């Protein structure tokens, strides 16, 4: 288990790097494809709504397959799905079927979110069995500090790199490179998952409850979940459009947008 937890920190660093080069630049990429603010809202809604719905499917999968099997296969799929997005950037740069690229981006990103959502509950359960209950706060704090510190540095460098590509008139090539790196680092995550130990797991049917049963229960955790949902509802009214505002209205550089985005993580 101790070896598995060390492997998980390395895997988390690779996953965080993939998110930096993939998810964090998706809205900016969509704007380069001439997306309207409504489309940016759709992309954010996909991440916020489709992902959790896909998690419901994962719960049923755990009745039929091991958690390691689920995570490995869907992480592999997610790594593969970043490559078509890189291809979209290249095709748009070459002025090939430009009108079709934005719908294809939405479809491709939806698939990425779905497979990531399916993998997440199995991974979360897996990690719960690896980390002793009394050490979870300490371990995940350490894991987050390491992975996010490395992610912050990479994010800052990537902002400078994207501005460089823009000055050369090659910003779409920059996005293609970023999505390729997102794919490569997700494949690295897959390789680490192959090495990571999974404790035996037996699903207890008595522990099962439906989504509707959870909503009716309204214990402390239920109240917390409702509070958190309302909090996120408020945030999502504006947050999907920060990138649009900074790029189109304030005319900020990619470097400056990156710095502003980093500020929340730093604080």
């Amino acid at each position: 288990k101790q070896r598995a937890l060390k492997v998980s920190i390395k895997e988390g660093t690779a996953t965080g790097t993939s998110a930096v080069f993939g998810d964090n630049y998706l809205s900016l990429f969509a704007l380069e494809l001439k997306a309207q603010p409504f489309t940016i809202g759709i992309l954010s809604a996909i991440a916020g709504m489709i992902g959790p719905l896909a998690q419901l499917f994962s719960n049923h999968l755990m009745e039929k397959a091991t958690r390691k099997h689920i995570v490995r296969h869907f992480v592999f799929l997610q790594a593969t799905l970043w490559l078509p997005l890189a291809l979209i950037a290249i095709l748009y740069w070459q002025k090939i079927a430009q009108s079709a690229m934005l719908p294809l981006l939405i479809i491709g990103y939806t698939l990425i979110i779905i497979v990531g959502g399916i993998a997440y509950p199995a991974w979360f359960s897996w990690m719960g069995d690896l980390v002793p209950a009394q050490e979870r706060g300490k371990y995940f704090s350490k894991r987050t500090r390491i992975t996010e510190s490395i992610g912050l540095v990479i994010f800052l460098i990537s902002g400078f790199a994207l501005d460089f590509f823009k000055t050369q008139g090659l910003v779409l090539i920059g996005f293609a490179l970023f999505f390729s790196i997102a794919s490569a680092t997700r494949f690295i995550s897959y390789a680490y998952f192959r090495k990571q130990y999974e404790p035996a797991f037996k699903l207890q049917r008595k522990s099962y409850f439906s989504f509707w049963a959870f909503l009716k229960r309204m214990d402390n955790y239920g109240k917390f979940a409702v509070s958190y949902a309302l909090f996120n509802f408020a945030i999502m009214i504006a947050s999907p459009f920060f990138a649009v505002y900074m790029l189109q209205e304030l005319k900020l550089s990619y470097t400056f947008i990156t710095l502003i985005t980093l500020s929340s993580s730093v604080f």
Side-chain angles (χ1 to χ4, degrees), residues 36-181:
Q36 298 301 310
F38 177 76
T39 307
I40 302 300
I42 291 293
L43 286 169
S44 295
I46 287 169
M49 184 172 65
I50 302 297
L53 289 175
Q55 291 182 19
L56 298 175
F57 179 66
S58 178
N59 292 332
H60 297 295
L61 273 183
M62 282 193 282
E63 298 176 9
K64 302 174 182 178
T66 66
R67 294 168 296 181
K68 185 171 184 176
H69 179 87
I70 295 167
V71 171
R72 281 175 47 216
H73 280 74
F74 284 96
V75 165
F76 184 89
L77 275 174
Q78 192 176 53
T80 305
L81 286 167
W82 279 112
L83 294 175
L85 268 62
L87 181 61
I88 286 172
I90 294 171
L91 292 175
Y92 196 90
W93 178 60
Q94 291 291 326
K95 296 181 172 57
I96 298 173
Q98 287 185 325
S99 61
M101 293 301 109
L102 199 53
L104 288 175
L105 171 63
I106 294 172
I107 293 170
Y109 187 58
T110 301
L111 293 173
I112 287 172
I113 292 299
I114 288 172
V115 298
I118 293 173
Y120 181 75
W123 173 82
F124 196 74
S125 171
W126 182 0
M127 291 300 297
D129 282 350
L130 285 174
V131 186
Q134 68 274 17
E135 295 181 15
R136 283 175 189 162
K138 179 181 178 182
Y139 173 76
F140 283 107
S141 173
K142 176 183 177 181
R143 187 181 189 273
T144 302
R145 282 201 311 273
I146 293 172
T147 57
E148 289 201 0
S149 296
I150 294 172
L152 288 175
V153 174
I154 293 172
F155 195 22
L156 184 60
I157 294 171
S158 67
F160 286 113
L162 198 57
D163 263 335
F164 172 77
F165 280 111
K166 188 172 184 178
T167 59
Q168 303 300 311
L170 299 171
V171 67
L172 288 168
I173 296 300
F175 281 117
L177 176 63
F178 280 14
F179 296 147
S180 298
I181 295 173

Side-chain angles (χ1 to χ4, degrees), residues 20 24-25 28 151-163 178 246 252-264 266:
V20 166
N24 287 358
Y25 283 105
L28 295 176
L152 288 175
V153 174
I154 293 172
F155 195 22
L156 184 60
I157 294 171
S158 67
F160 286 113
L162 198 57
D163 263 335
F178 280 14
M246 290 188 289
L252 300 180
S253 67
Y254 287 121
T255 300
F256 210 82
I257 291 173
T258 300
L259 290 171
I260 292 171
T261 307
L262 281 175
S263 65
S264 62
V266 170

Side-chain angles (χ1 to χ4, degrees), residues 222-247:
K223 293 171 185 174
F224 167 76
V226 171
S227 171
Y228 194 64
L230 293 172
F231 185 74
N232 275 285
F233 180 86
I235 289 174
M236 292 304 289
I237 291 172
S239 63
F241 309 107
F242 289 166
V244 181
Y245 177 63
M246 290 188 289
L247 192 65

